[in-house]
Amino acid sequence: MKLHHLIYAATSLLVLGSCSQEQIEVYQAENNGVYFNYKNTTDLEMSVNFSDHVLGNPSTLPVNLRLKVMGVKANENRRVVLKSRSLEGKGELQVICPEIIFTPDTIEKEVTIHVARPEVRDSSFAAVVYIDSQDSQSQIGSGLAEFQEFTIHAKESYSKPASWGEWSMHQMYLGDWSVDKHIFLVNLTRNNRYFTSQNYQAIVQWNTAAIDSLRRWKEAHINDPVPVAMPFIPEDGISYNKPWYWGDLQTKYLGAYATKPFAAICNVLGITTQNEYETFATTEDNLKNLNKDAVKVMMQRYNTFYYDGWRRGSTYKNNFFVPMFGNLSYVLVKPAAWGDDQGGADMIKRYYGEYSPEKYEFMIKTWLSHKGADFVLNQLFPVMNEWGNVSWDSSLGGENAIREINRVMRTALEGQAHSFTFPEI
């Protein structure tokens, strides 16, 4: 074959190849339309949940849709009109559709519509987005008939995260889950998915930051209820600032403000950020009653301390302390040492005799009068139980201290008529 024949053959193949490529770009050349560019009709539906997008409180969410034209390529811009309509049986969902222009040689396009936040939580809303080729502004016809509509479901529905289990750090440091708390914490942490974190330090910081934020909110909205219940945690390393309402009366009946005893009182009495102000910023009579409740908790807590097995008596006050008053009547809890059959009871009975509520009340009032501002309830029981090994507690003065207490009690009892006595040592 001559050279010019070879060149002619090669040129013919190139032309045929060009036509073939053009034919691939032209889909159903006899039509001129646009359709939603998805493989299956089952793909023409999606759902959005505004609860996944709390941060920033968006009024709308973007949804991307894919469009494709079919037919012969155009040499000019062509406008596609998208509209929406309600779906029967569902709440009406507002959808904002943009202006869409296919420029010359453009076959595929991704467009963004915006779906409005539903007006009601926990209700289902839906809209059908469709290509309106009959609109007067439309410059292209309809494409594949079964790909002319796209259905969007939207809701704002919240559910407790699986990570928020009964013994999870979230439950321990953030309290019971609620929708309001979830929204609050998303905005506090600046993270829509904060609840997936298992970082202990971060979760503790969220607790303290939340309490600080809610206290500042309450101070500025003194007559409004706090919407979120955050727990106070009586744990080493956690610190809460002294609240603005804490004054002389609170100090008188609950002691000088310190995080750990304050949080312990709150923890035991069911006080959270929702009822903190109303509980503590109150009248003197109410604070007296709160003092009585707190003292009962203190007695129970001191009994727990005794059986901890390692805690020195001199540390009790720093862990939990509530002032007591001789003119108030308390519901008494029998001291653990006085009923400890492992040996504590024998040591106590040697100096105090048998227990009775009347005797214990007398002892408290007498020791209060004797010690004044230095009074701490567990001074009356200078013994410790180290995992069943009971001994005198030298941090409280040990046996010498209880011998002195015995003397003070017998002296105070002289000349008075009571149903109890104290052993003479």
Side-chain angles (χ1 to χ4, degrees), residues 52 62 69 107 113 116-117 179 184 190 194 271 283 302 326 382 421:
D52 297 327
V69 296
I107 294 176
I113 65 172
R117 181 188 291 274
V179 173
F184 169 76
R190 309 303 297 168
Y194 71 93
I271 300 168
T283 65
Y302 282 7
T421 61

Side-chain angles (χ1 to χ4, degrees), residues 213-399:
S213 175
L214 292 168
R215 279 177 166 175
R216 283 188 279 108
W217 184 92
K218 180 62 177 180
E219 186 177 8
H221 304 80
I222 204 69
N223 295 318
D224 297 327
V226 177
V228 175
M230 291 295 297
F232 296 94
I233 308 299
E235 186 174 296
D236 289 335
I238 296 179
S239 178
Y240 306 120
N241 294 325
K242 180 180 175 180
W244 83 97
Y245 60 77
W246 196 276
D248 292 341
L249 277 179
Q250 286 76 20
T251 299
K252 176 180 178 180
Y253 289 102
L254 298 171
Y257 180 84
T259 291
K260 198 166 185 179
F262 171 81
I265 292 172
C266 292
N267 195 253
V268 173
L269 298 182
I271 300 168
T272 68
T273 50
Q274 279 193 316
N275 59 351
E276 173 195 4
Y277 176 78
E278 288 74 13
T279 301
F280 293 116
T282 184
T283 65
E284 185 167 10
D285 285 342
N286 287 340
L287 284 171
K288 287 179 180 178
N289 290 328
L290 185 60
N291 170 267
K292 294 176 184 179
D293 292 337
V295 164
K296 182 178 179 180
V297 173
M298 178 176 69
M299 291 179 174
Q300 294 168 335
R301 186 60 58 90
Y302 282 7
N303 281 353
T304 300
F305 289 172
Y306 173 77
Y307 281 114
D308 277 350
W310 57 269
R311 196 187 305 269
R312 300 289 173 178
S314 59
T315 68
Y316 281 27
K317 184 175 182 178
N318 290 334
N319 283 275
F320 196 111
F321 176 75
V322 181
M324 296 185 70
F325 299 90
N327 61 346
L328 295 182
S329 296
Y330 295 101
V331 175
L332 302 179
V333 177
K334 184 177 180 179
W338 214 334
D340 180 12
D341 294 333
Q342 292 179 310
D346 291 338
M347 297 166 73
I348 297 300
K349 288 178 182 178
R350 181 183 176 190
Y351 290 92
Y352 296 162
E354 293 296 329
Y355 171 83
S356 73
E358 295 79 14
K359 179 185 286 187
Y360 190 27
E361 182 178 20
F362 172 83
M363 291 176 63
I364 291 172
K365 291 181 177 181
T366 300
W367 197 242
L368 264 170
S369 177
H370 182 75
K371 296 293 287 186
D374 295 329
F375 171 88
V376 183
L377 181 63
N378 72 311
Q379 292 167 344
L380 294 170
F381 308 98
V383 293
M384 60 186 302
N385 183 331
E386 296 181 273
W387 315 114
N389 180 25
V390 183
S391 62
W392 295 110
D393 187 345
S394 59
S395 73
L396 294 177
E399 189 169 13

